[in-house]
Amino acid sequence: MRSLIDIHDFTVEEIDELIKTAGDIIDNPAKYAEKCKGKKLATLFYEPSTRTRLSFEAAMMELGGNVIGFSEASSSSASKGESVADTAKVMSAYADIIAMRHPQEGAPYVASRNASVPVINAGDGGHNHPTQTLTDLLTISREKGRLENLTVGFCGDLKYGRTVHSLIAALARYKNIKIVLISPSELAIPSYVRYEVLGKNNMEYIETTDLEAALPELDVLYMTRIQRERFEEPADYERLKDSYILTEDKLMGAKSDLAILHPLPRVNEISVKIDSDPRACYFRQVKYGKYIRMALILRLLDEADGIIAPERREDLLVNKVICQNKRCITQTEQELDQLFKVTDPENGVCRCIYCEAKVFLDK
């Protein structure tokens, strides 16, 4: 059964088709009003969410379908110790498609391996958030008229920002994209993104701590909040939380057609005075999120009947090493195989399939 767990589960051509379908939904909403009549979406949200959960629910309702599910782990059988795998099997009996958000990295992947209906990753810890990436791509396409020949700046929490990781991975497949990474050193982009996405795709990129100096060359600025919930030490959050605040003064040197995106929620990293600036796209971005999720639901449901998707990753090491990432689903899930892909055979480097944490093989 085909699912969307990682943005690479869809080809560039398939993403472009989703963007085209979303555009048609925007232009012709009545045409899609009953496309999912009789279908049910299960939203399994183990951690708080406003935009993503309600966006999925609004998307399914506007397609004529119904929604079931839960909005926090405490209101599900997870509070009794039920595994993600068992929850996915149970929900497959009730729903036609599942959207899952979970604080542990790799949880939606586990669900997809056990469900008999499509599973959509709605965010797993600090790892991936592919439907936000589709939202971002649709937003850039609608606002800039292209997904090529762009300089894109990412500012704020680049270490734990799953939306950043996913969008960089998606943009790596488009032509002539330059990336500017703006963050404190403590929140710099993870090494696996730097080397395995930026490096292996020969993407031009620079790293800086100076937002104001970087602004003039940007076509797109992707702001992120410093995420309190990702820090193990509260003192670290307090020290870094106000690292970047985008103000009217700082925008004076930016391009007149700059597109400012933000996955939201905003805390204080963008002044509310910027909201009326035509370059502020983040509230339009929210609407685009609903439309792209409508297109995605339609695509996965259309493909679901009678199609068995190939395994996403091949040539895996099974139970040869152990993932040490405390946020990985392997730390808690019952009898879950440790799965790794070898990324650097010469140096014995492999990465966990669930969370992409690096592990070295014993030589």
Side-chain angles (χ1 to χ4, degrees), residues 257-275:
D257 63 346
L258 172 69
I260 304 169
L261 279 66
H262 192 305
L264 301 179
R266 166 178 59 183
V267 181
N268 68 339
E269 60 278 358
I270 299 179
S271 168
V272 296
K273 294 180 180 178
I274 292 174
D275 293 354

Side-chain angles (χ1 to χ4, degrees), residues 325-343:
N325 178 9
K326 294 179 181 179
R327 297 183 297 274
C328 183
I329 189 65
T330 58
Q331 299 288 325
T332 58
E333 189 76 356
Q334 179 183 12
E335 300 177 30
L336 188 64
D337 282 335
Q338 298 273 340
L339 301 176
F340 292 84
K341 58 179 177 179
V342 178
T343 57

Side-chain angles (χ1 to χ4, degrees), residues 6 17 34 67 78 93 96 108 150 174 178 192 203 222 224 279 287 292-293 315 323 342 356:
D6 182 293
E17 187 62 31
E34 294 190 358
V67 179
D96 301 284
L150 293 167
Y174 290 90
K178 179 181 178 181
Y192 80 87
M203 293 185 75
Y222 197 92
T224 66
R279 294 173 289 187
K287 281 192 175 182
I292 200 70
R293 289 181 176 100
D315 301 323
C323 182
V342 178
E356 310 226 36

Side-chain angles (χ1 to χ4, degrees), residues 70-178:
F70 52 83
S71 59
E72 55 185 354
S74 62
S75 62
S76 76
S77 290
S79 62
K80 303 174 184 177
E82 183 172 68
S83 67
V84 168
D86 283 358
T87 297
K89 292 173 184 175
V90 170
M91 295 310 298
S92 296
Y94 302 150
D96 301 284
I97 188 168
I98 293 170
M100 173 181 283
R101 168 167 289 187
H102 201 286
Q104 288 181 288
E105 297 168 7
Y109 179 54
V110 172
S112 72
R113 290 169 61 91
N114 288 275
S116 56
V117 300
V119 174
I120 301 171
N121 181 1
D124 60 335
H127 186 217
N128 275 320
H129 197 348
T131 64
Q132 180 65 51
T133 303
L134 292 174
T135 297
D136 300 336
L137 291 174
L138 175 60
T139 303
I140 295 170
S141 177
R142 300 283 293 191
E143 297 290 332
K144 302 298 296 182
R146 65 190 189 277
L147 286 171
E148 299 178 345
N149 305 311
L150 293 167
T151 298
V152 182
F154 294 87
C155 180
D157 180 359
L158 309 189
K159 180 178 182 179
Y160 300 112
R162 58 192 171 199
T163 61
V164 172
H165 307 163
S166 290
L167 182 53
I168 290 175
L171 289 172
R173 297 190 286 178
Y174 290 90
K175 294 179 181 177
N176 195 25
I177 299 292
K178 179 181 178 181

Side-chain angles (χ1 to χ4, degrees), residues 28-93:
N28 304 287
K31 175 180 170 183
Y32 294 87
E34 294 190 358
K35 288 284 188 178
C36 287
K37 186 176 181 180
K39 299 290 187 179
K40 292 187 290 294
L41 165 71
T43 51
L44 311 184
F45 277 64
Y46 290 78
E47 64 177 2
S49 168
T50 301
R51 275 150 301 281
T52 304
R53 181 173 63 86
L54 296 181
S55 179
F56 269 111
E57 294 182 0
M60 192 59 166
M61 290 176 182
E62 291 191 23
L63 291 169
N66 296 303
V67 179
I68 59 175
F70 52 83
S71 59
E72 55 185 354
S74 62
S75 62
S76 76
S77 290
S79 62
K80 303 174 184 177
E82 183 172 68
S83 67
V84 168
D86 283 358
T87 297
K89 292 173 184 175
V90 170
M91 295 310 298
S92 296

